[in-house]
């Protein structure tokens, strides 16, 4: 086995006619260059010689060399062979291969030719495409509901009950927890302000109106959109990836009647119940905070609540629950059916469905606030 010698460079200042002579010796292979920071020291020696064309390079005394050692010299020569170069037998092959390889050229990225106006136009076209598909889905569900009403015994009762269980019953825990905490926070902050003006007794009015008319339905809808809406989209997306939807079409089973309509009806049924449940939890949390902060008894709270909140607000909240549930199911199914047969589309479609469902719920809540502006006061 040959003895490993460290790579060395020797600079010999010759006469003015010959110029500087750089003589290399030792082992110029990667295992020798990696020891004792040899590469750093060699680069420091080669740096002052990069632009000097009069330097003579003598590599004939090098014991052994590989492509790593040859590349160090090639970089020092400015990626071209110097005019005065002496090589040992066998070294010519390394520099010939490096010279033939030439400079590395990376592919230039294509410039984006879409202007902001073009991007806006494409976004508008995509929006109207989704709107067209959503309207078609609503029409299909309407036809399926009519078919179900004509032949109720042939309806998908098991699918409806299963969706009520998953979207409604299994969501009772999280909706109760969030509703209770929101009630505590709202009651505590309101009590701080009402106490400053001596309006402690109006906490029941404020808490009852805000929870029953707005916060209860909105909180339940957002939680169901994030929990059940994503589940619906993911379920349909997985069925697309595993080609179950295509198999259903081959067997003559309607997607709308067996998959979409049961989810829409299930959420339309369970969402008002979840709204009642969330309202109750929020009001209980508000009563607890009112007792601690303002020393208002639960009996006083319950007695004053029917007078503070007219029945119309309660019915508006239940109506919101029905509409929000149907919108969440329709939006989730819309994006679930548009998922392509790959996992990337599944993840992106599920995220888009949740965000869109929550946005649509907030927009619908704003429409309710405008339409029923003079009702319930």
């Amino acid at each position: 086995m040959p003895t490993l010698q460290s790579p060395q460079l020797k600079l010999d200042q010759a006469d003015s006619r010959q110029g500087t002579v750089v003589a290399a010796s030792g082992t110029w292979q990667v295992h020798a260059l990696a020891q004792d920071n040899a590469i750093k020291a060699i680069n420091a020696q080669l740096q002052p010689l990069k632009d000097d064309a009069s330097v003579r390079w003598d590599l004939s005394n090098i014991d052994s060399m590989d492509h790593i050692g040859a590349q160090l010299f090639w970089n020092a020569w400015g990626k071209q062979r110097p005019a005065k170069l002496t090589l040992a037998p066998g070294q010519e092959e390394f520099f010939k291969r490096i010279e033939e390889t030439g400079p590395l050229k990376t592919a230039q990225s294509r410039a984006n030719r879409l202007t902001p106006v073009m991007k806006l136009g494409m976004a508008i076209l995509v929006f109207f495409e989704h709107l067209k598909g959503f309207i078609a889905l609503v029409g299909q569900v309407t036809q399926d509901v009519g078919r179900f009403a004509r032949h109720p015994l042939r309806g998908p009762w098991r699918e409806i009950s299963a969706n009520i269980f998953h979207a409604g019953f299994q969501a009772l825990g999280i909706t109760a927890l969030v509703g209770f905490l929101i009630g505590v926070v709202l009651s505590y902050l309101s009590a701080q302000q009402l106490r400053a003006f001596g309006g402690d007794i109006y906490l029941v009015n404020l808490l009852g109106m805000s929870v029953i008319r707005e916060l209860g339905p909105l909180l339940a809808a957002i939680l169901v959109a994030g929990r059940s809406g994503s589940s619906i989209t993911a379920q349909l997306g997985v069925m697309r990836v595993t080609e179950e939807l295509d198999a259903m079409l081959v067997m003559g089973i309607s997607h709308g009647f067996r998959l979409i309509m049961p989810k829409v009806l299930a959420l339309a049924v369970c969402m008002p119940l979840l709204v009642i449940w969330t309202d109750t939890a929020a009001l209980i949390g508000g009563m607890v905070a009112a007792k601690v902060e303002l020393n208002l008894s639960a009996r006083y709270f319950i007695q004053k609540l029917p007078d503070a909140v007219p029945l119309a607000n309660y019915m508006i909240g239940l109506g919101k629950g029905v509409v929000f549930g149907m919108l969440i199911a329709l939006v989730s199914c819309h994006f679930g059916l548009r998922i392509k047969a790959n996992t990337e589309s599944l993840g992106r479609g599920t995220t888009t469905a949740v965000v869109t469902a929550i946005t649509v719920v907030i927009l619908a809540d704003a429409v309710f606030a405008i339409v029923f502006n003079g009702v319930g006061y």
Side-chain angles (χ1 to χ4, degrees):
M1 184 175 180
T3 304
L4 182 64
Q5 298 181 2
S6 59
Q8 296 179 0
L9 280 178
K10 182 180 179 182
L11 279 65
D12 186 11
Q13 298 290 339
D15 54 38
S16 58
R17 291 177 299 175
Q18 293 182 348
T20 303
V21 178
V22 179
S25 60
T27 303
W28 288 72
Q29 292 182 340
V30 62
H31 54 279
L33 292 168
Q35 293 182 355
D36 301 328
N37 292 326
I39 293 181
K40 184 177 181 180
I42 290 171
N43 285 329
Q45 290 181 279
L46 293 176
Q47 185 68 28
L49 305 174
K50 280 189 175 182
D51 299 328
D52 193 349
S54 63
V55 176
R56 293 177 56 194
W57 298 84
D58 184 6
L59 311 184
S60 59
N61 294 325
I62 294 178
D63 298 335
S64 59
M65 178 187 291
D66 59 8
H67 286 88
I68 303 299
Q71 189 68 45
L72 286 176
F73 288 111
W74 189 255
N75 294 337
W77 298 340
K79 301 188 183 301
Q80 60 181 357
R81 191 184 293 260
K84 303 173 183 180
L85 176 63
T86 303
L87 298 176
Q91 295 178 354
E92 177 66 28
E93 180 182 357
F94 294 113
F95 295 105
K96 185 177 180 180
R97 289 183 180 179
I98 295 176
E99 193 172 14
E100 289 176 352
T101 301
L104 181 61
K105 295 182 179 179
T106 58
Q108 295 183 353
S109 59
R110 262 182 102 176
N112 192 356
R113 299 181 179 180
L114 296 178
T115 63
V117 177
M118 297 170 65
K119 292 180 180 179
L120 177 61
M122 292 180 62
I124 294 175
L125 290 177
V126 171
F127 170 76
F128 279 108
E129 180 186 359
H130 280 283
L131 184 61
K132 177 183 176 182
F134 185 78
I135 294 175
L137 183 63
V138 172
Q140 179 185 353
V141 172
T142 303
Q143 292 179 347
D144 292 332
V145 170
R147 174 186 169 187
F148 178 49
R150 290 192 302 270
H151 306 284
L153 297 180
R154 300 180 184 177
W157 290 103
R158 287 190 176 182
E159 289 83 351
I160 294 174
S161 62
N163 282 282
I164 290 176
F165 174 76
H166 292 299
F169 178 77
Q170 291 186 342
L172 291 177
I174 185 64
T175 51
L177 176 62
V178 174
F180 180 84
L181 295 178
I182 290 296
V184 170
V185 172
L186 184 62
S187 179
Y188 180 79
L189 295 178
S190 301
Q192 296 289 335
Q193 300 299 320
L194 293 175
R195 178 186 295 170
F197 298 97
D200 298 355
I201 59 174
Y202 295 106
L203 177 63
V204 180
N205 304 60
L206 179 60
L207 190 63
M209 286 291 292
S210 59
V211 168
I212 293 176
R213 188 181 177 106
E214 291 294 334
L215 287 181
L218 195 60
L219 279 176
I222 291 176
L223 292 174
V224 170
R227 182 187 176 279
S228 303
S230 60
S231 176
I232 292 172
T233 306
Q235 179 187 2
L236 295 177
V238 170
M239 294 180 71
R240 174 72 69 188
V241 173
T242 57
E243 299 182 352
E244 293 181 53
L245 295 178
D246 299 332
M248 291 180 64
L249 290 180
V250 171
M251 292 186 292
I253 301 175
S254 172
H255 293 165
F257 192 74
R258 287 291 172 181
L259 294 177
I260 300 175
M261 186 194 70
K263 293 176 172 54
V264 175
L265 293 181
L267 283 178
V269 170
C270 68
M271 270 299 297
L273 302 178
L274 284 177
V275 168
I276 297 174
W277 177 258
T278 307
D279 290 347
T280 304
L283 291 175
I284 292 175
M287 283 191 293
V288 172
K291 177 63 176 178
V292 174
E293 188 67 20
L294 298 178
N295 199 24
L296 292 179
S297 64
R299 182 176 181 179
Y300 173 80
F301 202 99
I302 295 173
Q303 288 178 347
K304 291 296 181 181
L305 188 61
D307 297 331
V309 183
L311 183 61
N313 295 280
Y314 189 72
M315 302 307 297
I316 290 174
L318 295 182
K320 285 183 179 182
V322 176
V323 175
F324 292 169
M326 296 176 65
L327 288 176
I328 292 170
L330 289 171
V331 171
S332 302
C333 291
H334 169 75
F335 284 98
L337 293 175
R338 295 174 69 91
I339 290 177
K340 300 178 182 178
N342 58 77
T343 54
E344 181 182 358
S345 177
L346 176 61
R348 184 172 59 251
T350 304
T351 304
T352 307
V354 173
V355 174
T356 306
I358 294 176
T359 305
V360 170
V361 164
I362 295 175
L363 289 176
D365 186 66
V367 172
F368 267 96
I370 295 173
V371 173
F372 297 99
N373 183 34
V375 180
Y377 298 100

